[in-house]
Amino acid sequence: MPCAVTEHLMPGRWDEVRPLTAKELAGTSVLEIPLAEVSVKMRAAGPGEDPDDGENRSAWAGVVPLRTVAGIPEPSPLTDSTVPVPASVRSLL
């Protein structure tokens, strides 16, 4: 199962990494939960408020925009400096 998750997130990565050790495999769990219903609130712009809605304005109100951005890959200090960054990792940039 770890292979399926890895390949879904980073196609080609499973073939680029060393095989899992027995200890790593024993410490790995994948949980699948069927979702019958979900909700999400998305905004195309900032907060939407009516100035005449009678709400108390003494507390902060707004949105905190979230985004996921891949940064520059950082190799392990134990990885030989001649080992190139694999294609699956470069594809995230």
Side-chain angles (χ1 to χ4, degrees):
M1 184 63 104
C3 174
V5 174
T6 301
E7 286 300 306
H8 176 75
L9 297 172
M10 295 176 70
R13 183 68 177 144
W14 190 258
D15 293 330
E16 298 172 341
V17 299
R18 63 170 173 71
L20 291 174
T21 66
K23 182 178 179 181
E24 290 168 330
L25 193 54
T28 301
S29 296
V30 177
L31 178 64
E32 180 179 345
I33 301 173
L35 301 175
E37 188 175 319
V38 298
S39 69
V40 64
K41 182 175 182 179
M42 296 178 64
R43 289 196 156 285
E49 294 183 282
D50 181 357
D52 299 323
D53 61 9
E55 292 290 323
N56 181 336
R57 304 283 187 231
S58 63
W60 185 86
V63 297
V64 177
L66 298 177
R67 62 181 178 205
T68 301
V69 178
I72 297 171
E74 300 174 8
S76 163
L78 303 178
T79 299
D80 188 304
S81 63
T82 62
V83 176
V85 176
S88 65
V89 176
R90 288 192 316 269
S91 73
L92 297 172
L93 302 176

